[in-house]
Amino acid sequence: MSHTCRIELDGQSHEFPTVEGTENELAVDISTLRDRTGYITLDDGYGNTGSCTSAITYIDGDKGILRYRGIPIEQLAEHSTFVETAWLVIWGRLPTQAELDHFSHLLTQHEMMHESLRNHFQGFPPNANPMAILSAMINAVSCYDPEMMQIEDEFTLESAAARLISKVRTIAAASYKMSVGQPMDYPHPEYHYCENFLHMMFSIPYREYVPTPEVARALNLFLILHADHEQNCSTSTVRMVASSQANMFASCAAGVCALWGPLHGGANVAVIEMLEFIRQSGMKVSEYVERVKMKDTKLRLMGFGHRVYKNFDPRSKILKVAADKMLAKLSVNDPLLDIALQMEDAALNDPYFIERKLYPNVDFYSGIILRAMGIPVNMFTVMFAMGRLPGWIANWKEIHDNPKSRIYRPRQIYTGRTLQNYVPMDQR
Ligand code: CMC
C-alpha cells in the first residue's frame, strides 16, 4: 500500500514521501521540509522522531517484541552466548564456527591492558564511581592503540571491536578491585569471556575464584539481554558522536556517560536503592506506590515504564524467571526479591500504572540477579555498559560504513531574549 503525506502550511499544500521499514513501520520523510516551507519539526525528547534507518534491532513496543538482526531475544537468551550475540549484532548474522573461534581468539589476544594503563587507576580516588573510571579509561586505552582510531578496513574494525569488548571487561574488573583496595588480577587465557570477568572480579591473592557454570550462564544471559536496544539514549549518543567521524573508542566512551543517568542504565542501581530503602525504613510497598503517584516529588517507581514498551519488556520477563531459578539454585534468600514481587503486583493492579502502560523494564529484575552473583551495586551500570558495547559498536559501524552519513545536527526554536546591547560593567 502506498502512503502520502500532505501538509497544509500558510495556505499551501506540500507533499512528502513516506518510508516503510521491513516490519512495516512507517515514517514521513521530512528532510526537505525546511527548504520547502521554512518550518522545522519540534519533537521534545524525540518521541516521534526517527533519527536514522537501521538494520540492527527491531522492537515492537506494543507487542513486547525484541529481535537482534531478526532473531527473537528469547531464542538468543536460551541458546546463545554473549560473544556469539556480540558477533551477530555487529556483523548482522550468526557466525560460523570458524568466525566465532577467530573472534574469541581476538578477545583473548586483547584481554590484557597495557601495563602503563594500570598506573592510571592509581590516579582515581578509591571511592571513584566505576562509570567515571570506565568512560575515562576507554579513551585512555585508545591512546595505546592509535592505529585503531582510523579504521579503513574490515580487519582493523574487527580488531578494534575485539579490543574494546575485551578490554572493557578487564577495566571494569580492575575498577572494582581498586574500589575495594585489592590488587588487580590478570585475565586468564583459558577462561571464556564471562568466566574471565568473574575471575578478575573475585579472585584474590592465594585464592583463585572458580566460577560456577550457573553464575557464568546467568552473566551470559544478562549481557545478551543488554546487547542492543535500537535508538536508546546512549546509542543515540554514540551515533551522534560517530557522525562527526569521531573514532569508535571516543564514541563508546560518550555512550558510557549517557548510560550513567538514573533514567537510563543507572536505573538498575536506583531500583536496588529503592527496594533497599523500603526494606530498611519498613515502609509498606503500597505506601511507597502512593507516594510515587502523588507526583509532588520527582519520585518514580524505578524499573517501571519505557519510552517504547507499552507492554511487558520481554527482557524483564526472561530476567524474572532467571532470577527465581538462580536464587533457588544458589539457595539465596533475597528479601529484596519479595519486595520487588509485591511492588510489581501493586503496580500492575493500580489504575495509575495501567492507564499509563507502565510495566517492569529490564532494570527491575536485573539487580536481583547481579546481587545474587555477588556483584556490588555500584558496578551494576558498568555491567550494563559491558553488555551494551556490541550495540554501540554496531551502530558506530552503521554510521561509519554509510557513504551518505551526515553529521547529526538538530535545529532548535530559539526562545531567548531578542537583540540586546552590550552594557559596560560600570553601567549595569
Ligand atoms: N513511575 C511513576 N510514573 C511514571 C514512571 C515511573 N517509573 N514512568 C513514567 N511515569 C509517568 C509520568 O509521570 C507521566 O505521567 P503523566 O502523563 O501524568 O505526566 C507518564 O507516566 C509518561 O511518562 P514520561 O516521563 O513521559 O515517559 P518517558 O517515555 O519520557 O520516560 C522512562 C520513560 C523510562 C524514562 C520513565 O518511564 C522512567 O523514568 N522510568 C523510571 C526509570 C527507569 O526505570 N529507567 C530505565 C528504562 S529501561 C532501560 C534503559 O533504557 O536504560
Side-chain angles (χ1 to χ4, degrees):
M1 203 211 306
S2 77
H3 306 266
T4 333
C5 170
R6 201 166 293 115
I7 298 181
E8 297 278 338
L9 277 173
D10 305 326
Q12 287 204 333
S13 176
H14 306 268
E15 268 193 20
F16 293 91
T18 56
V19 178
E20 186 162 356
T22 46
E23 291 285 350
N24 309 114
E25 294 169 297
L26 297 168
V28 179
D29 177 353
I30 50 91
S31 47
T32 58
L33 179 69
R34 186 169 176 277
D35 282 349
R36 286 164 60 187
T37 67
Y39 284 77
I40 61 168
T41 55
L42 188 61
D43 182 18
D44 189 28
Y46 307 133
N48 300 283
T49 297
S51 60
C52 59
T53 55
S54 174
I56 304 168
T57 288
Y58 172 68
I59 300 176
D60 183 328
D62 295 319
K63 295 192 185 133
I65 291 175
L66 169 61
R67 297 180 199 143
Y68 301 156
R69 302 291 190 176
I71 303 183
I73 191 66
E74 293 79 6
Q75 293 182 21
L76 292 166
E78 194 176 341
H79 303 295
S80 190
T81 61
F82 175 60
V83 173
E84 183 185 55
T85 297
W87 205 97
L88 164 78
V89 168
I90 299 171
W91 282 283
R93 60 173 171 81
L94 288 168
T96 61
Q97 189 63 55
E99 287 165 336
L100 186 58
D101 290 347
H102 175 66
F103 192 54
S104 301
H105 170 73
L106 282 180
L107 292 174
T108 306
Q109 189 183 333
H110 295 300
E111 64 194 3
M112 301 262 290
M113 279 188 283
H114 191 287
E115 204 57 23
S116 309
L117 261 175
R118 296 169 80 88
N119 300 329
H120 286 246
F121 283 92
Q122 310 307 327
F124 292 102
N127 59 352
N129 189 298
M131 287 296 275
I133 300 181
L134 186 65
S135 61
M137 291 301 283
I138 289 177
N139 273 319
V141 162
S142 72
C143 303
Y144 290 82
D145 293 317
E147 71 280 12
M148 294 294 128
M149 293 201 201
Q150 200 65 40
I151 294 178
E152 307 284 2
D153 53 59
E154 248 330 278
F155 172 77
T156 321
L157 193 140
E158 190 180 20
S159 177
R163 278 168 212 242
L164 201 44
I165 292 174
S166 192
K167 284 191 171 37
V168 156
R169 166 192 53 178
T170 310
I171 295 168
S175 70
Y176 167 66
K177 286 297 193 194
M178 259 273 308
S179 70
V180 289
Q182 291 176 4
M184 298 172 196
D185 216 322
Y186 288 96
H188 218 310
E190 284 103 75
Y191 282 143
H192 290 297
Y193 188 89
C194 290
E195 282 88 347
N196 220 341
F197 173 72
L198 294 164
H199 147 70
M200 285 188 279
M201 280 286 288
F202 300 124
S203 288
I204 51 175
Y206 308 112
R207 204 178 69 218
E208 175 80 14
Y209 170 91
V210 182
T212 63
E214 289 82 31
V215 174
R217 181 64 216 147
L219 180 54
N220 257 299
L221 177 72
F222 173 90
L223 297 176
I224 290 169
L225 295 181
H226 286 79
D228 193 42
H229 212 236
E230 51 122 295
Q231 301 314 313
N232 56 85
C233 179
S234 56
T235 303
S236 296
T237 302
V238 170
R239 284 187 89 110
M240 171 73 83
V241 178
S243 77
S244 75
Q245 299 185 354
N247 67 72
M248 187 195 283
F249 291 76
S251 305
C252 290
V256 171
C257 295
L259 187 73
W260 195 346
L263 297 190
H264 191 12
N268 58 14
V269 174
V271 168
I272 293 295
E273 286 171 351
M274 173 183 76
L275 298 175
E276 197 60 77
F277 167 80
I278 294 172
R279 187 179 73 85
Q280 283 178 18
S281 67
M283 185 186 270
K284 284 203 178 103
V285 166
S286 54
E287 194 185 329
Y288 193 88
V289 171
E290 286 308 313
R291 275 180 57 181
V292 166
K293 284 159 53 184
M294 279 181 337
K295 287 189 179 247
D296 53 352
T297 61
K298 278 190 149 185
L299 205 62
R300 287 196 161 193
L301 214 54
M302 299 314 282
F304 270 76
H306 199 276
R307 173 64 61 81
V308 182
Y309 292 121
K310 300 303 168 196
N311 198 324
F312 252 92
D313 179 338
R315 301 167 298 173
S316 73
K317 274 192 194 169
I318 298 171
L319 277 173
K320 185 180 176 184
V321 174
D324 269 350
K325 268 196 203 153
M326 189 167 159
L327 294 189
K329 185 93 194 168
L330 301 181
S331 308
V332 175
N333 187 5
D334 190 343
L336 298 196
L337 181 62
D338 296 336
I339 299 175
L341 289 171
Q342 284 176 44
M343 187 166 272
E344 182 183 322
D345 190 52
L348 292 180
N349 290 302
D350 188 309
Y352 174 98
F353 294 90
I354 296 170
E355 279 157 22
R356 289 170 180 75
K357 300 187 175 161
L358 301 170
Y359 289 87
N361 60 47
V362 68
D363 293 312
F364 194 62
Y365 283 107
S366 64
I368 306 274
I369 285 219
L370 293 176
R371 263 164 72 93
M373 278 181 223
I375 309 281
V377 177
N378 71 349
M379 284 290 291
F380 285 7
T381 316
V382 169
M383 306 298 296
F384 191 151
M386 272 170 61
R388 186 54 54 86
L389 255 186
W392 290 338
I393 294 171
N395 276 274
W396 183 91
K397 182 174 178 313
E398 255 188 3
I399 295 241
H400 177 263
D401 291 352
N402 181 359
K404 291 195 180 145
S405 278
R406 298 173 78 197
I407 191 161
Y408 280 23
R409 203 315 186 173
R411 289 185 180 262
Q412 64 166 21
I413 296 293
Y414 176 68
T415 57
R417 297 160 94 185
T418 52
L419 182 66
Q420 307 285 307
N421 287 322
Y422 179 79
V423 181
M425 186 63 85
D426 60 356
Q427 292 170 30
R428 286 177 213 165

